[in-house]
């Protein structure tokens, strides 16, 4: 999705995830090379008020390979009604 969004260079891409699941250096390098604004954060609550759109992917853990410590962080990345209220009205 980031490569597609990069076709519109005015879009500032914000990657919200625990550090262990953040975007890879290959994508950061691509965005930097193409002058695409981007940032990373671990706080969904801090980022939501400034976003114009939010594209979310589920955390794939069907095989239970994710550490118990990382699973504890999942709740901080669930989009519920309280978090929807943080977003812009439009």
């Amino acid at each position: 999705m980031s490569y597609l969004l990069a076709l519109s260079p005015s879009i500032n891409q914000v990657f919200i995830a625990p550090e262990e699941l953040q975007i890879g250096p290959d994508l950061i390098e691509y965005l930097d090379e193409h002058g695409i604004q981007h940032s990373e954060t671990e706080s969904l609550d801090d980022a939501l008020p400034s976003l114009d759109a939010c594209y979310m992917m589920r955390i794939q853990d069907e095989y239970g390979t994710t550490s118990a410590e990382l699973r504890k962080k999942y709740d901080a990345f669930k989009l519920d009604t309280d978090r929807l209220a943080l977003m812009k009205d439009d």
Side-chain angles (χ1 to χ4, degrees), residues 79-90:
L79 187 60
D80 55 21
T81 54
D82 290 335
R83 288 202 170 101
L84 283 175
L86 296 173
M87 296 182 76
K88 296 177 183 179
D89 291 335
D90 60 346

Side-chain angles (χ1 to χ4, degrees), residues 25-66:
D26 56 328
L27 182 54
I28 292 172
E29 182 179 330
Y30 177 87
L31 296 173
D32 287 342
E33 285 176 2
H34 291 84
I36 306 301
Q37 296 178 64
H38 63 88
S39 60
E40 300 173 47
T41 181
E42 291 188 43
S43 176
L44 181 59
D45 293 340
D46 289 346
L48 282 175
S50 66
L51 301 179
D52 291 320
C54 180
Y55 174 81
M56 297 186 78
M57 299 174 64
R58 69 183 181 88
I59 298 174
Q60 298 178 351
D61 192 22
E62 288 83 9
Y63 305 106
T65 56
T66 304

